[in-house]
Amino acid sequence: GDSVTQMEGPVTLSEEAFLTINCTYTATGYPSLFWYVQYPGEGLQLLLKATKADDKGSNKGFEATYRKETTSFHLEKGSVQVSDSAVYFCALSSSGAGSYQLTFGKGTKLSVIP
Amino acid sequence: EPEVTQTPSHQVTQMGQEVILRCVPISNHLYFYWYRQILGQKVEFLVSFYNNEISEKSEIFDDQFSVERPDGSNFTLKIRSTKLEDSAMYFCASSLAGGPHEQYFGPGTRLTVT
């Protein structure tokens, strides 16, 4: 079945550091890929998405590129802020007909210190 | 900005009791979902619901679980006879359409079964 593997946390960075959170997936067909973020006490919010190979999703300074050849969708940000402290989830939506469920990774907790 | 709401935020129940978790999806959305996250584990899909019927369910969603949209606004998850292993955070989500479209998540209900 479909699966998502993302790097274990927690990750602690200083403000303005470069962030990479690795995400790889296993899926049949051509899934859509997502990054969700969960701030303390809140629900999961869509951060960015990509629906086909070589697409780059971007939002709030975060970027991720859909790499079919390496089955990866790594999240990057050039300069993190304290307000980016949250849990980040990589997810995929299968391309199967009528299949709309999201398959999530375990989440990576990011703490940014001033 | 419209949001998905869930009540209660925390529910404590005894093993064998029935619980109902409530969600109010975004008003013009058509697809509704329940996910759960056991502490320290992945967010897992339970069920999706469209046009007043279940469209997809996971193997976790056995006969102890049921979902209902009793009126035009609420979407509920019922667990008939709770077990210790049902302790988890339960997330409701909704989307305007199926497929690779953004699912909007609520803040979750933490269910503790004692």
Side-chain angles (χ1 to χ4, degrees):
Chain A
D2 297 345
S3 67
V4 174
T5 302
Q6 61 182 104
M7 63 187 284
E8 297 281 333
V11 173
T12 302
L13 294 173
S14 297
E15 210 165 18
E16 299 183 3
F18 184 85
L19 169 71
T20 300
I21 301 178
N22 290 336
C23 171
T24 57
Y25 67 89
T26 303
T28 53
Y30 303 94
S32 295
L33 303 173
F34 305 84
W35 277 99
Y36 277 80
V37 59
Q38 185 179 32
Y39 298 103
E42 300 183 16
L44 289 85
Q45 302 173 24
L46 180 67
L47 181 59
L48 52 86
K49 72 177 185 182
T51 57
K52 62 182 188 296
D54 300 325
D55 267 2
K56 177 187 281 188
S58 61
N59 186 25
K60 300 181 181 179
F62 290 90
E63 292 183 340
T65 301
Y66 188 146
R67 301 283 188 203
K68 192 171 188 303
E69 64 276 13
T70 54
T71 62
S72 65
F73 192 55
H74 304 321
L75 181 68
E76 296 182 335
K77 187 175 185 183
S79 175
V80 294
Q81 305 301 311
V82 172
S83 56
D84 294 326
S85 298
V87 181
Y88 292 82
F89 294 90
C90 185
L92 69 82
S93 177
S94 172
S95 59
S99 176
Y100 306 138
Q101 63 174 279
L102 291 171
T103 299
F104 285 90
K106 287 188 73 170
T108 302
K109 184 175 182 179
L110 170 67
S111 296
V112 181
I113 54 177
Chain B
E1 185 176 328
E3 58 183 16
V4 177
T5 59
Q6 291 186 242
T7 54
S9 57
H10 191 192
Q11 173 92 46
V12 181
T13 190
Q14 289 190 324
M15 195 167 52
Q17 296 295 303
E18 174 184 288
V19 295
I20 297 176
L21 309 183
R22 302 180 193 279
C23 168
V24 179
I26 294 173
S27 62
N28 62 337
H29 284 188
L30 302 176
Y31 291 78
F32 314 111
Y33 312 83
W34 284 101
Y35 294 81
R36 79 172 186 191
Q37 184 179 31
I38 296 171
L39 190 63
Q41 298 187 25
K42 298 184 178 187
V43 176
E44 302 171 292
F45 168 78
L46 293 178
V47 65
S48 60
F49 191 85
Y50 169 70
N51 200 25
N52 280 322
E53 61 183 26
I54 290 174
S55 51
E56 192 174 18
K57 61 182 181 179
S58 72
E59 53 194 33
I60 301 169
F61 193 87
D62 61 22
D63 292 344
Q64 293 297 312
F65 292 89
S66 62
V67 289
E68 192 178 31
R69 188 154 163 82
D71 53 42
S73 59
N74 289 283
F75 180 51
T76 62
L77 174 69
K78 182 192 292 186
I79 309 174
R80 284 188 186 74
S81 178
T82 50
K83 303 188 278 281
L84 293 176
E85 53 265 38
D86 293 327
S87 295
M89 181 72 89
Y90 288 81
F91 294 104
C92 173
S94 68
S95 64
L96 186 59
H101 295 280
E102 178 173 0
Q103 294 183 19
Y104 291 79
F105 284 76
T109 293
R110 179 165 298 285
L111 175 65
T112 302
V113 182
T114 61

